Amino acid sequence: KAGVTQTPRYLIKTRGQQVTLSCSPISGHRSVSWYQQTPGQGLQFLFEYFSETQRNKGNFPGRFSGRQFSNSRSEMNVSTLELGDSALYLCASSLERAPLYEQYFGPGTRLTVT
Amino acid sequence: AQSVSQHNHHVILSEAASLELGCNYSYGGTVNLFWYVQYPGQHLQLLLKYFSGDPLVKGIKGFEAEFIKSKFSFNLRKPSVQWSDTAEYFCAVIEISNFGNEKLTFGTGTRLTIIP
């Protein structure tokens, strides 16, 4: 079974731009969660989507948004990028409602904002 | 708000040494507990988890962790480490609620370096 895939793997953007990251969960998984990983803050929960609905949200500004499609693939969008948005963005999928079920993580998208 | 503390930021050990990584959390109610590992260049993966039952949990690659509710702790242990255990280790906690809004809160991680 293929694992969680994330595209692109690396991205360089400038301040003020917007960016869209994509995540394809493991086949059959219905839940997708997004996390931001930085050296100073560690891993922080962004949001979770389950059956195309945002089920849970972390403490991030409204510039961070996401969606989930009927095939469970998910996208995350960050508008008006700031330097502090530079991070590794991880996607995780689980069979059912996260995080009570084991989450499987993708390799991440490394976003650099200049 | 819930917090998870991993007090050891970087641990350096020789092969065959014993390992204990600390994890403490702040929530007083029911919790589910996890240890994740991130090997160099690899994805984050689950080492072990505790939901209920025996507080001593065994995971992959010889790791175990003990849940001590009175101390709000879930320390990770391994009796004899190998060079291949070099990685970053993350403790994570879910506080169980009646509202269905549980989310995974991670500690800041402990970088483990094993010297051959």
Side-chain angles (χ1 to χ4, degrees), chain A residues 4 35 37 40-43 45 48 55-59 88 90 97-103 105-107, chain B residues 1 32 34 36 38 42-46 49 51 88 90 94 96 99-108:
Chain A
V4 178
Y35 296 85
Q37 185 177 14
Q41 300 293 320
L43 281 127
F45 172 75
E48 181 209 352
R55 202 188 69 79
N56 209 345
K57 191 176 187 308
N59 298 323
L88 181 67
L90 295 172
R97 184 169 69 100
L100 301 182
Y101 286 78
E102 181 174 346
Q103 294 185 68
F105 284 81
Chain B
N32 288 350
F34 305 81
Y36 281 85
Q38 192 169 33
Q42 294 190 29
H43 306 181
L44 201 63
Q45 58 184 284
L46 184 68
K49 62 187 178 190
F51 281 12
E88 188 143 18
F90 295 91
I94 305 168
I96 304 301
F99 303 103
N101 60 346
E102 297 90 353
K103 54 189 175 189
L104 201 53
T105 301
F106 282 86
T108 51

Side-chain angles (χ1 to χ4, degrees), chain A residues 4 8 14 21-22 28 31 36 39 48 53 57 76 84 89 94-95 101 105:
Chain A
V4 178
T14 56
L21 312 181
S22 181
S31 169
Q36 181 195 66
E48 181 209 352
T53 303
K57 191 176 187 308
M76 189 191 96
Y89 289 89
S94 61
L95 200 56
Y101 286 78
F105 284 81

Side-chain angles (χ1 to χ4, degrees), chain B residues 54-74:
Chain B
D54 188 344
L56 185 61
V57 179
K58 295 194 186 299
I60 60 171
K61 304 188 181 187
F63 285 92
E64 65 178 32
E66 185 174 13
F67 170 47
I68 303 179
K69 189 172 181 178
S70 60
K71 294 186 177 179
F72 300 90
S73 70
F74 189 55

